[in-house]
Amino acid sequence: MDTDDSNALDNLRNLAKQLRLENLPEDKTVPIVMVPGFSGWGTPLFGAINYWGGIENIPKLLVERGYTVIVTPLGPISSNWERACELYRQLTFGKFSFFNLKTEEINDIHDVDVDYGNYFNDSSIRPRTTTTKGRKRAILYSKSQDKYKNWTWNEDNKVHFICHSQGGNTVRYLISLMSRGSADLHPKYFGTGGRDNWAISVATLGTPHNGTTIIDVLQNFFSGSTDAAIKLLARLFATISFGTPEKRFYDLQLDHWGICRIEINGKLETFQKMRERLESNNGPVSTWLKSNYNGFYDNSIEGVHDLHMKTVPTSKHVYYFSFSFHSTIPFPSRWPSWTIEAIDSFPIPLVDFIRKVLYSIPFVNIGAWIITRFLDSFGNNVGWPILLSLISVRDLTQWGTQSVANRLLREIDYNVTLPPPGKYLPRKDVIPLMLPTVYAMGGQDLTPVQKDMLGPNLGDWYLNDGIVNTESMRGPGDSIVRKISAFPTSSINSDDVRGIFWHFGVNDQMDHADEIGVFIEQDTAKSTNDMYINLAEIISRLSSSSKSPEAEEVQ
């Protein structure tokens, strides 16, 4: 990872200031479409927790500054294909749910029908149906709601995309489909190409442009208990998907896979029957999870490599910006000062251990007596420092994890595998839920196949923000990525500025949740809010491509 432009937020502020000095006009009427990542939601959870802002409200913050924002509630753990279809349908539906600026309430309406096309036709594993009804409308945040009542995304009504995590890859898929068309996969939505100029800009925050090793971490952890994990997941899915979509506090949007309450012989199944169906070995949860049509696969290195094969990396009509993050500190190379004190409390003193070993060897008793008298004279103050000089903190942690802890877990039938130590530890302010993932990703090695997919210039794939590897956030491996310091502020509307990922740099103060303002410290919350305000100011000064692209042939 090139960290020359290490402070991404400083670079962002500087660019916003430079564009301001250029006296470029802002067009705040172009909607900013906010696309969530893996596990993302639309309407605030429990009526209080926003995906974009946590207990704060980033869309509202932008609206107060005159911008118009669209929040899209996509399938939280779905494949990029399904999410791209949902995003297209929501933006072309012609109707929104509205955020009330006075009461801060949302009139959630579930009447969007989604068609997933022919994507699954050639697969032996497929959903029960390729359409779904009663999905949530996208949510409009605006001071001029009347102007957008019948608004539909098209060449005259362009948008900016701000994407978190998987949202960046979802939009990549969507823009590629808009560019090249795909009549064989979806004649209704993507039968016509040449429409990628409907987007002006795409900004990605913490996106796994080349995949993430968190998927490998999860697979390794549950490697000995896959069936049990599927059953546990099935029970969770049954609980949150038992009600109709409008009654769910968190909608998986996997009804077309049969992960919902269905009718059997003309009657709705009971919760017990639904749970049993979802938990069965050949049930919908197992089928969905073992397929390649889910967010787990699509966020893996292998899944994103497949995305590269299906899509164009960028559109020559669109501006691209990326932000990288990490939430780590180096694994300590030296033993801390309290090590000897801690070791002195070990149940067996070092001197007693050596004496026991020596006296167990035949014909060594006299020599052992001499050696132990020597050890008694110097005690542990001599022995332990010598031992510590022969082994590092990481080596001892590795031994304790692999040779003791994991073997003990297997012995007592805990079918999980603890990750080994790596190059990094979590920073102290990381959200507690991500402490183990930061640690595990800091030691997750790439496989030879993954290295081959990623190419020769791998970089540091241990650095991470708790969910995504920092090296993966700059931009797709098959695209051009440049430092934001080279961004031509005096000629930003020239054609050669588009179709390139302009990388703002690396922020080392935010984890994956901080990037969207969820469960963060107050100081970080201000930085997060400023990040979105400055980003909105920059993209609103960008002009759309003056050329109308012609449809390209599907490759």
Side-chain angles (χ1 to χ4, degrees), residues 13-41:
R13 281 191 292 270
N14 290 337
L15 181 58
K17 181 179 179 181
Q18 290 174 30
L19 294 182
R20 210 177 299 132
L21 293 174
E22 294 287 341
N23 291 319
L24 294 172
E26 280 192 272
D27 185 355
K28 297 184 178 182
T29 64
V30 177
I32 298 172
V33 179
M34 306 189 80
V35 186
F38 185 83
S39 78
W41 59 92

Side-chain angles (χ1 to χ4, degrees), residues 296-461:
F296 293 103
Y297 178 77
D298 273 10
N299 284 295
S300 69
I301 292 172
E302 294 79 3
V304 177
H305 180 72
D306 285 350
L307 182 67
H308 293 342
M309 300 297 102
K310 299 171 184 173
T311 64
V312 293
T314 59
S315 163
K316 61 184 178 181
H317 304 284
V318 179
Y319 297 90
Y320 293 86
F321 301 95
S322 61
F323 294 78
S324 298
F325 304 85
H326 80 82
S327 53
T328 64
I329 57 174
F331 199 97
S333 57
R334 296 183 178 182
W335 289 95
S337 57
W338 47 260
T339 302
I340 298 298
E341 180 184 344
I343 291 178
D344 279 342
S345 64
F346 196 74
I348 302 176
L350 178 65
V351 173
D352 290 350
F353 171 73
I354 295 175
R355 182 184 291 112
K356 202 76 172 178
V357 171
L358 291 175
Y359 275 97
S360 68
I361 303 174
F363 310 112
V364 188
N365 288 348
I366 296 177
W369 179 81
I370 296 173
I371 292 174
T372 53
R373 287 295 299 270
F374 174 81
L375 289 174
D376 287 339
S377 300
F378 287 89
N380 289 343
N381 290 332
V382 173
W384 282 121
I386 293 175
L387 180 63
L388 296 181
S389 69
L390 299 176
I391 185 171
S392 68
V393 183
R394 184 178 173 185
D395 288 342
L396 184 61
T397 308
Q398 173 91 14
W399 170 80
T401 303
Q402 303 297 89
S403 300
V404 179
N406 280 330
R407 293 179 70 176
L408 179 62
L409 288 172
R410 288 194 296 269
E411 185 74 19
I412 58 179
D413 291 330
Y414 277 75
N415 293 319
V416 295
T417 303
L418 298 180
K423 288 181 60 177
Y424 301 104
L425 291 176
R427 209 177 50 239
K428 65 179 182 180
D429 59 342
V430 170
I431 180 174
L433 186 65
M434 291 184 188
L435 290 172
T437 59
V438 173
Y439 173 84
M441 291 178 70
Q444 180 62 49
D445 293 327
L446 297 170
T447 67
V449 173
Q450 290 173 335
K451 290 180 180 178
D452 185 59
M453 289 177 175
L454 294 169
N457 302 315
L458 287 174
D460 186 349
W461 272 76

Side-chain angles (χ1 to χ4, degrees), residues 67-213:
Y67 302 100
T68 294
V69 178
I70 298 172
V71 171
T72 52
L74 307 182
I77 53 179
S78 296
S79 68
N80 281 316
W81 170 265
E82 291 161 303
R83 287 162 58 91
C85 291
E86 291 162 1
L87 180 54
Y88 176 87
R89 182 57 177 149
Q90 287 180 346
L91 294 180
T92 58
F93 187 62
K95 298 176 182 178
F96 295 103
S97 293
F98 293 99
F99 176 81
N100 189 311
L101 290 170
K102 293 181 179 179
T103 64
E104 299 192 9
E105 294 179 348
I106 299 170
N107 65 326
D108 258 334
I109 302 175
H110 295 69
D111 60 353
V112 180
D113 56 306
V114 181
D115 186 338
Y116 298 109
N118 307 319
Y119 186 77
F120 306 101
N121 284 5
D122 295 331
S123 174
S124 58
I125 300 176
R126 63 184 70 180
R128 293 176 69 246
T129 177
T130 56
T131 60
T132 186
K133 298 182 182 298
R135 309 309 338 157
K136 285 183 181 180
R137 294 181 184 179
I139 305 165
L140 182 77
Y141 293 72
S142 176
K143 289 182 177 179
S144 306
Q145 292 181 356
D146 288 343
K147 288 176 57 177
Y148 298 91
K149 276 189 175 179
N150 298 309
W151 183 95
T152 299
W153 186 36
N154 56 40
E155 189 172 2
D156 296 322
N157 294 322
K158 302 179 188 292
V159 299
H160 300 284
F161 289 103
I162 293 181
C163 317
H164 179 238
S165 195
Q166 185 186 354
N169 286 334
T170 298
V171 169
R172 171 181 176 167
Y173 208 156
L174 174 62
I175 291 179
S176 181
L177 290 165
M178 298 291 284
S179 171
R180 303 194 305 182
S182 187
D184 56 332
L185 294 181
H186 208 314
K188 186 175 180 180
Y189 291 177
F190 309 118
T192 304
R195 298 181 294 166
D196 45 321
N197 69 333
W198 291 15
I200 298 175
S201 70
V202 175
T204 64
L205 298 93
T207 287
H209 289 292
N210 300 294
T212 168
T213 58

Side-chain angles (χ1 to χ4, degrees), residues 1-7 326 463 506:
M1 168 61 66
D2 185 352
T3 56
D4 289 347
D5 291 334
S6 57
N7 196 327
H326 80 82
L463 201 68
V506 184

